Amino acid sequence: MLSKILIANRGEIAVRVIRACQEMGITSVAVYSDLDRDALHVRLADEAYSLGGQTAAESYLNTEKILEVIEQCGADGVHPGYGFFSENTDFARAITEKGVTFIGPPPEAIEVMGDKVSSRIAAQEAGVAGVPGTTEFLQSGDEVVAFGEEHGWPVAIKAAYGGGGRGMRVVPSAAEAHSALESAQSEALKGFGRDECYVERYLTKPRHVEMQIVCDSHGNGVYVGERDCSAQRRHQKLVEEAPAPDFPEETRRAMGQAAVDVALACGYVNAGTVEFLYQDGEFWFLEMNTRLQVEHPVTELVSGIDLVREQILVASGEPLSFSQDDIDLRGWAIEVRVNAEDPAGGKFIPSPGRITDLSVPQGPGIRWDGGYMAGDEVSQFYDNLVGKLVVWAGTRDLAIARMQRAIREMTVDGIKTTLPADLAILGHDDFKAARHSTKWVEEVLDLSGVTDVVDPAAAPGEGDEPEEKVRRDVDVEVNGKRFSVAMWVPASAAAPVAGDAGGGGALRPRRKGTAGGSAAAAGSGSVVVPMQGTIVKVTVAVGDEVTTGQTVCLLEAMKMENTIVADKDGTVAEIKVEAGQAVNANDVVLVIE
């Protein structure tokens, strides 16, 4: 059995793995960037080591630094979580070559299934049909045009090594093919370190149904039921549930067996998810995620199986603790993702900032998997997932009602979140009747009246407390390793932080004003960005004629590309930014006359 596991990740998934380790008597090791020095996963872990840097590339995607920490802390296992290096063959191989256990599939399986093109070939060889698409990486937009002309428009460009909708672009016609490929490659490179893409047919009204599988090193493979993840926007999931509604039992069995066949065909070991598109009674292989999924809690709640614990046991060489006949799914589970995004008008604009208050709901059948607490900062440099609210109930109707109650009971101040959109989804007749598809949120759901108000309370002022000494627990680093020490300092000099055990809790300045928005009036000609981020590309030049709604630059924030558009017709008179430049919310990037 593994004795010390390093979690090569951050946020709620790092917290989830740390908790599993602690329940199993395994020492947990966190790593962190400079921005995450006081993050929840760092505070909860048994040990924590600094990676330095701010961006993901400087920290959580720094292979050399992570390998140094593994050597330094003596970990005998590494859990990659999801995202970052979780589906990176080179990272998995580097771990195993050090004699350290990678808690995931063998590098060879990641190589086959982590690449969406080779996974399609592997699925076909296992007798599982996929959506029509290319089996070679795209070299130019001309290949997208040729595919679209043959199979019909629209088509979907996808990052071969990506996931979560990043690096994916839906192309409605030949005219957009070249720019869409360039955009997909750019986003894929930033998110996954590789820019290879492929193209496939884009189904009109499919449901996204995925099958959870677990395989051990003894040749056993089991499917643990399906999840419906059709409520999406920008091809990223908002609401997930298990089991899938209005889903025939014979289809469930066929899809489950297909998922196991695909996994065993590539020598897969550990937990994984095989994703399918389901439409009009048929299903097609979409891709395989060679890692734990964000939405794994709904499967855990209906099956009673701790998937992270099972991952660790399998990685330690143990056989599966259950067989296919042992799987007994009970009740219904629903998960909503609480992202730091402003859903107003269906725009889902990233909303980084400091969480001034976070109060989670309570009551029967409620679970909160979070990566933040009140006082913590949600940075523009990382994923925008604050946490996952999950409920279980005996029936789907009761699960929906319980989730609606839980959302209304939950408080998140300081940032805007997707909770109002989640509530709108759950309350819609189409969702209740399982008539929704992967395009339903963007094409049918009306979010024009959805708002999420940020608490505008001012930062607390200076008090008149007498000068006294108080205890402050602070974190220091010695040779890169994190230690907690107690200090007694004058109250006026104390700066309490999240996790401060000695000074009355986590007192941080509250975020003033509202997140997002625009400082300039619509149609003023002063084009502003609604959030912090980095300019990826300026698509116009001084002197160009532009029209209202035309893209003038691309902004990357929270690992997503966002288009910034002209607010009126006119001529570009001034460009104030360039590619690679960091900007703040409401900065003017371009002037139109």
Side-chain angles (χ1 to χ4, degrees), residues 32-74:
Y32 58 94
S33 67
D34 289 345
L35 293 177
D36 275 343
R37 188 175 303 278
D38 296 314
L40 181 59
H41 75 283
V42 177
R43 305 198 296 266
L44 291 180
D46 298 306
E47 299 179 13
Y49 292 79
S50 171
L51 296 173
Q54 295 190 29
T55 67
E58 296 167 343
S59 53
Y60 300 103
L61 290 174
N62 186 336
T63 304
E64 183 178 342
K65 185 62 179 177
I66 292 176
L67 292 176
E68 288 177 6
V69 173
I70 293 171
E71 187 81 26
Q72 187 177 359
C73 74

Short mmCIF file of all heavy atoms in Angstrom, two decimals, residues 32-74:
data_model
loop_
_atom_site.label_atom_id
_atom_site.label_comp_id
_atom_site.label_asym_id
_atom_site.label_seq_id
_atom_site.Cartn_x
_atom_site.Cartn_y
_atom_site.Cartn_z
N TYR A 32 2.12 23.97 -4.33
CA TYR A 32 1.38 25.21 -4.52
C TYR A 32 2.24 26.27 -5.21
O TYR A 32 3.47 26.28 -5.10
CB TYR A 32 0.87 25.75 -3.19
CG TYR A 32 1.94 26.03 -2.15
CD1 TYR A 32 2.50 27.29 -2.01
CD2 TYR A 32 2.38 25.02 -1.30
CE1 TYR A 32 3.47 27.55 -1.05
CE2 TYR A 32 3.35 25.26 -0.34
CZ TYR A 32 3.90 26.53 -0.22
OH TYR A 32 4.87 26.77 0.72
N SER A 33 1.56 27.15 -5.93
CA SER A 33 2.19 28.30 -6.56
C SER A 33 2.25 29.44 -5.55
O SER A 33 1.70 29.35 -4.45
CB SER A 33 1.37 28.74 -7.77
OG SER A 33 0.10 29.23 -7.34
N ASP A 34 2.87 30.52 -5.94
CA ASP A 34 2.93 31.69 -5.05
C ASP A 34 1.53 32.22 -4.75
O ASP A 34 1.25 32.66 -3.63
CB ASP A 34 3.77 32.80 -5.69
CG ASP A 34 5.26 32.46 -5.72
OD1 ASP A 34 5.67 31.52 -5.00
OD2 ASP A 34 6.00 33.12 -6.47
N LEU A 35 0.64 32.17 -5.73
CA LEU A 35 -0.71 32.67 -5.53
C LEU A 35 -1.53 31.76 -4.61
O LEU A 35 -2.50 32.20 -4.01
CB LEU A 35 -1.42 32.81 -6.87
CG LEU A 35 -0.87 33.88 -7.83
CD1 LEU A 35 -1.64 33.85 -9.14
CD2 LEU A 35 -0.96 35.26 -7.20
N ASP A 36 -1.15 30.50 -4.52
CA ASP A 36 -1.91 29.52 -3.73
C ASP A 36 -1.27 29.25 -2.36
O ASP A 36 -1.58 28.24 -1.73
CB ASP A 36 -2.01 28.19 -4.50
CG ASP A 36 -3.18 28.17 -5.47
OD1 ASP A 36 -4.07 29.02 -5.33
OD2 ASP A 36 -3.18 27.32 -6.37
N ARG A 37 -0.42 30.15 -1.92
CA ARG A 37 0.30 29.91 -0.66
C ARG A 37 -0.65 29.64 0.50
O ARG A 37 -0.36 28.83 1.39
CB ARG A 37 1.17 31.13 -0.35
CG ARG A 37 2.11 30.94 0.83
CD ARG A 37 3.02 32.15 0.99
NE ARG A 37 3.78 32.38 -0.24
CZ ARG A 37 4.90 31.73 -0.56
NH1 ARG A 37 5.35 30.79 0.23
NH2 ARG A 37 5.53 32.01 -1.67
N ASP A 38 -1.81 30.29 0.53
CA ASP A 38 -2.77 30.11 1.62
C ASP A 38 -4.01 29.35 1.18
O ASP A 38 -5.06 29.42 1.83
CB ASP A 38 -3.17 31.48 2.18
CG ASP A 38 -2.00 32.22 2.80
OD1 ASP A 38 -1.25 31.59 3.57
OD2 ASP A 38 -1.82 33.41 2.51
N ALA A 39 -3.93 28.61 0.08
CA ALA A 39 -5.09 27.91 -0.45
C ALA A 39 -5.53 26.79 0.48
O ALA A 39 -4.77 26.27 1.29
CB ALA A 39 -4.76 27.35 -1.84
N LEU A 40 -6.80 26.38 0.32
CA LEU A 40 -7.38 25.36 1.20
C LEU A 40 -6.63 24.05 1.11
O LEU A 40 -6.38 23.40 2.13
CB LEU A 40 -8.85 25.16 0.83
CG LEU A 40 -9.62 24.13 1.68
CD1 LEU A 40 -9.59 24.51 3.16
CD2 LEU A 40 -11.06 24.01 1.18
N HIS A 41 -6.26 23.62 -0.10
CA HIS A 41 -5.57 22.33 -0.21
C HIS A 41 -4.22 22.36 0.49
O HIS A 41 -3.77 21.35 1.03
CB HIS A 41 -5.42 21.92 -1.68
CG HIS A 41 -4.37 22.66 -2.46
ND1 HIS A 41 -4.55 23.94 -2.93
CD2 HIS A 41 -3.13 22.29 -2.86
CE1 HIS A 41 -3.48 24.33 -3.59
NE2 HIS A 41 -2.59 23.35 -3.57
N VAL A 42 -3.60 23.53 0.54
CA VAL A 42 -2.31 23.67 1.23
C VAL A 42 -2.51 23.59 2.74
O VAL A 42 -1.73 22.95 3.46
CB VAL A 42 -1.65 25.01 0.84
CG1 VAL A 42 -0.35 25.22 1.60
CG2 VAL A 42 -1.40 25.05 -0.66
N ARG A 43 -3.58 24.19 3.22
CA ARG A 43 -3.84 24.19 4.66
C ARG A 43 -4.24 22.81 5.17
O ARG A 43 -4.00 22.48 6.33
CB ARG A 43 -4.94 25.22 4.97
CG ARG A 43 -4.61 26.63 4.47
CD ARG A 43 -5.45 27.69 5.15
NE ARG A 43 -6.87 27.60 4.90
CZ ARG A 43 -7.52 28.27 3.95
NH1 ARG A 43 -6.84 29.03 3.11
NH2 ARG A 43 -8.82 28.18 3.83
N LEU A 44 -4.87 22.01 4.31
CA LEU A 44 -5.37 20.71 4.77
C LEU A 44 -4.33 19.59 4.67
O LEU A 44 -4.42 18.60 5.41
CB LEU A 44 -6.60 20.31 3.95
CG LEU A 44 -7.87 21.12 4.17
CD1 LEU A 44 -9.00 20.57 3.28
CD2 LEU A 44 -8.31 21.09 5.63
N ALA A 45 -3.38 19.72 3.77
CA ALA A 45 -2.42 18.63 3.54
C ALA A 45 -1.50 18.43 4.74
O ALA A 45 -1.25 19.34 5.53
CB ALA A 45 -1.59 18.92 2.29
N ASP A 46 -0.97 17.22 4.86
CA ASP A 46 -0.02 16.91 5.93
C ASP A 46 1.31 17.62 5.70
O ASP A 46 1.97 18.04 6.65
CB ASP A 46 0.22 15.39 6.00
CG ASP A 46 -1.06 14.64 6.32
OD1 ASP A 46 -1.70 14.97 7.33
OD2 ASP A 46 -1.42 13.73 5.56
N GLU A 47 1.70 17.75 4.44
CA GLU A 47 2.92 18.47 4.08
C GLU A 47 2.60 19.32 2.85
O GLU A 47 1.71 18.98 2.07
CB GLU A 47 4.06 17.51 3.75
CG GLU A 47 4.49 16.61 4.89
CD GLU A 47 5.61 15.66 4.50
OE1 GLU A 47 6.22 15.88 3.42
OE2 GLU A 47 5.87 14.70 5.24
N ALA A 48 3.35 20.40 2.67
CA ALA A 48 3.12 21.25 1.51
C ALA A 48 4.44 21.86 1.05
O ALA A 48 5.27 22.26 1.88
CB ALA A 48 2.12 22.36 1.83
N TYR A 49 4.64 21.91 -0.26
CA TYR A 49 5.89 22.40 -0.84
C TYR A 49 5.60 23.43 -1.92
O TYR A 49 4.66 23.29 -2.71
CB TYR A 49 6.67 21.24 -1.46
CG TYR A 49 7.22 20.26 -0.45
CD1 TYR A 49 6.40 19.30 0.12
CD2 TYR A 49 8.55 20.30 -0.05
CE1 TYR A 49 6.89 18.39 1.04
CE2 TYR A 49 9.06 19.40 0.87
CZ TYR A 49 8.22 18.44 1.41
OH TYR A 49 8.71 17.55 2.34
N SER A 50 6.44 24.45 -1.96
CA SER A 50 6.28 25.53 -2.93
C SER A 50 6.85 25.14 -4.29
O SER A 50 7.93 24.58 -4.39
CB SER A 50 6.99 26.79 -2.43
OG SER A 50 7.02 27.78 -3.43
N LEU A 51 6.07 25.49 -5.33
CA LEU A 51 6.54 25.33 -6.70
C LEU A 51 7.03 26.65 -7.26
O LEU A 51 7.70 26.68 -8.29
CB LEU A 51 5.41 24.80 -7.59
CG LEU A 51 4.88 23.40 -7.27
CD1 LEU A 51 3.65 23.10 -8.13
CD2 LEU A 51 5.94 22.34 -7.50
N GLY A 52 6.65 27.76 -6.60
CA GLY A 52 6.97 29.08 -7.11
C GLY A 52 6.09 29.44 -8.30
O GLY A 52 5.26 28.65 -8.74
N GLY A 53 6.27 30.64 -8.80
CA GLY A 53 5.53 31.07 -9.98
C GLY A 53 4.07 31.41 -9.68
O GLY A 53 3.57 31.20 -8.58
N GLN A 54 3.41 31.95 -10.70
CA GLN A 54 2.00 32.33 -10.56
C GLN A 54 1.12 31.57 -11.54
O GLN A 54 0.17 30.92 -11.14
CB GLN A 54 1.84 33.84 -10.79
CG GLN A 54 2.52 34.69 -9.75
CD GLN A 54 2.13 36.16 -9.89
OE1 GLN A 54 1.04 36.50 -10.35
NE2 GLN A 54 3.02 37.05 -9.48
N THR A 55 1.47 31.63 -12.82
CA THR A 55 0.65 30.95 -13.82
C THR A 55 0.82 29.45 -13.70
O THR A 55 1.75 28.94 -13.06
CB THR A 55 1.05 31.39 -15.23
OG1 THR A 55 2.37 30.92 -15.51
CG2 THR A 55 1.00 32.90 -15.37
N ALA A 56 -0.08 28.71 -14.35
CA ALA A 56 0.00 27.25 -14.33
C ALA A 56 1.31 26.77 -14.95
O ALA A 56 1.94 25.83 -14.45
CB ALA A 56 -1.20 26.66 -15.08
N ALA A 57 1.73 27.43 -16.03
CA ALA A 57 2.97 27.02 -16.70
C ALA A 57 4.18 27.17 -15.78
O ALA A 57 5.13 26.39 -15.85
CB ALA A 57 3.17 27.84 -17.97
N GLU A 58 4.13 28.17 -14.91
CA GLU A 58 5.25 28.41 -14.00
C GLU A 58 5.22 27.51 -12.77
O GLU A 58 6.20 27.44 -12.03
CB GLU A 58 5.24 29.87 -13.54
CG GLU A 58 5.45 30.88 -14.65
CD GLU A 58 5.13 32.30 -14.21
OE1 GLU A 58 4.45 32.47 -13.17
OE2 GLU A 58 5.56 33.24 -14.90
N SER A 59 4.10 26.84 -12.53
CA SER A 59 3.96 26.10 -11.28
C SER A 59 3.45 24.69 -11.50
O SER A 59 4.22 23.73 -11.58
CB SER A 59 3.03 26.86 -10.33
OG SER A 59 1.79 27.18 -10.97
N TYR A 60 2.15 24.53 -11.63
CA TYR A 60 1.55 23.19 -11.69
C TYR A 60 1.86 22.45 -12.98
O TYR A 60 1.66 21.23 -13.05
CB TYR A 60 0.04 23.30 -11.49
CG TYR A 60 -0.33 23.91 -10.17
CD1 TYR A 60 -0.76 25.24 -10.08
CD2 TYR A 60 -0.21 23.19 -8.98
CE1 TYR A 60 -1.08 25.81 -8.86
CE2 TYR A 60 -0.52 23.76 -7.75
CZ TYR A 60 -0.96 25.07 -7.71
OH TYR A 60 -1.26 25.65 -6.49
N LEU A 61 2.37 23.14 -13.99
CA LEU A 61 2.79 22.48 -15.23
C LEU A 61 4.31 22.48 -15.36
O LEU A 61 4.84 22.25 -16.45
CB LEU A 61 2.16 23.18 -16.44
CG LEU A 61 0.64 22.99 -16.60
CD1 LEU A 61 0.10 23.84 -17.74
CD2 LEU A 61 0.31 21.52 -16.83
N ASN A 62 4.99 22.71 -14.25
CA ASN A 62 6.46 22.70 -14.24
C ASN A 62 6.94 21.31 -13.81
O ASN A 62 7.10 21.01 -12.63
CB ASN A 62 6.97 23.77 -13.26
CG ASN A 62 8.49 23.93 -13.31
OD1 ASN A 62 9.20 23.01 -13.69
ND2 ASN A 62 8.97 25.10 -12.90
N THR A 63 7.15 20.44 -14.80
CA THR A 63 7.51 19.05 -14.52
C THR A 63 8.77 18.95 -13.69
O THR A 63 8.84 18.17 -12.71
CB THR A 63 7.71 18.28 -15.84
OG1 THR A 63 6.53 18.39 -16.63
CG2 THR A 63 7.99 16.81 -15.56
N GLU A 64 9.78 19.70 -14.05
CA GLU A 64 11.07 19.61 -13.35
C GLU A 64 10.91 19.94 -11.87
O GLU A 64 11.47 19.26 -11.00
CB GLU A 64 12.07 20.57 -14.01
CG GLU A 64 13.47 20.50 -13.39
CD GLU A 64 14.45 21.42 -14.10
OE1 GLU A 64 14.17 21.83 -15.25
OE2 GLU A 64 15.51 21.71 -13.52
N LYS A 65 10.15 20.98 -11.56
CA LYS A 65 9.97 21.38 -10.16
C LYS A 65 9.18 20.33 -9.39
O LYS A 65 9.50 20.01 -8.23
CB LYS A 65 9.26 22.73 -10.10
CG LYS A 65 9.14 23.28 -8.68
CD LYS A 65 10.52 23.53 -8.06
CE LYS A 65 10.40 24.10 -6.66
NZ LYS A 65 11.72 24.28 -6.02
N ILE A 66 8.14 19.77 -10.01
CA ILE A 66 7.35 18.74 -9.33
C ILE A 66 8.20 17.52 -9.05
O ILE A 66 8.13 16.92 -7.96
CB ILE A 66 6.11 18.38 -10.17
CG1 ILE A 66 5.13 19.56 -10.21
CG2 ILE A 66 5.39 17.15 -9.59
CD1 ILE A 66 3.93 19.34 -11.09
N LEU A 67 9.04 17.13 -10.01
CA LEU A 67 9.93 15.99 -9.79
C LEU A 67 10.91 16.26 -8.65
O LEU A 67 11.25 15.36 -7.87
CB LEU A 67 10.68 15.66 -11.08
CG LEU A 67 9.83 15.12 -12.24
CD1 LEU A 67 10.68 14.94 -13.49
CD2 LEU A 67 9.18 13.80 -11.85
N GLU A 68 11.35 17.50 -8.53
CA GLU A 68 12.24 17.86 -7.42
C GLU A 68 11.53 17.70 -6.08
O GLU A 68 12.12 17.20 -5.11
CB GLU A 68 12.71 19.32 -7.58
CG GLU A 68 13.71 19.54 -8.69
CD GLU A 68 14.08 21.01 -8.83
OE1 GLU A 68 13.62 21.82 -7.98
OE2 GLU A 68 14.81 21.36 -9.78
N VAL A 69 10.27 18.12 -6.02
CA VAL A 69 9.52 18.00 -4.78
C VAL A 69 9.27 16.53 -4.43
O VAL A 69 9.35 16.15 -3.26
CB VAL A 69 8.18 18.77 -4.88
CG1 VAL A 69 7.32 18.52 -3.65
CG2 VAL A 69 8.43 20.27 -5.05
N ILE A 70 9.00 15.72 -5.43
CA ILE A 70 8.82 14.29 -5.18
C ILE A 70 10.06 13.71 -4.53
O ILE A 70 9.99 12.94 -3.56
CB ILE A 70 8.49 13.55 -6.49
CG1 ILE A 70 7.12 13.98 -7.02
CG2 ILE A 70 8.53 12.03 -6.29
CD1 ILE A 70 6.82 13.46 -8.41
N GLU A 71 11.20 14.08 -5.07
CA GLU A 71 12.48 13.62 -4.52
C GLU A 71 12.67 14.13 -3.10
O GLU A 71 13.10 13.41 -2.20
CB GLU A 71 13.62 14.11 -5.41
CG GLU A 71 14.99 13.57 -5.04
CD GLU A 71 15.22 12.16 -5.57
OE1 GLU A 71 14.60 11.79 -6.59
OE2 GLU A 71 16.01 11.44 -4.95
N GLN A 72 12.32 15.39 -2.89
CA GLN A 72 12.53 16.03 -1.60
C GLN A 72 11.64 15.46 -0.51
O GLN A 72 12.07 15.24 0.63
CB GLN A 72 12.29 17.53 -1.74
CG GLN A 72 12.64 18.35 -0.50
CD GLN A 72 12.46 19.84 -0.74
OE1 GLN A 72 12.08 20.25 -1.85
NE2 GLN A 72 12.72 20.64 0.26
N CYS A 73 10.37 15.19 -0.85
CA CYS A 73 9.42 14.75 0.18
C CYS A 73 9.38 13.23 0.34
O CYS A 73 8.84 12.73 1.33
CB CYS A 73 8.03 15.28 -0.11
SG CYS A 73 7.18 14.45 -1.48
N GLY A 74 9.90 12.50 -0.64
CA GLY A 74 9.91 11.05 -0.53
C GLY A 74 8.59 10.40 -0.83
O GLY A 74 8.31 9.30 -0.34
#
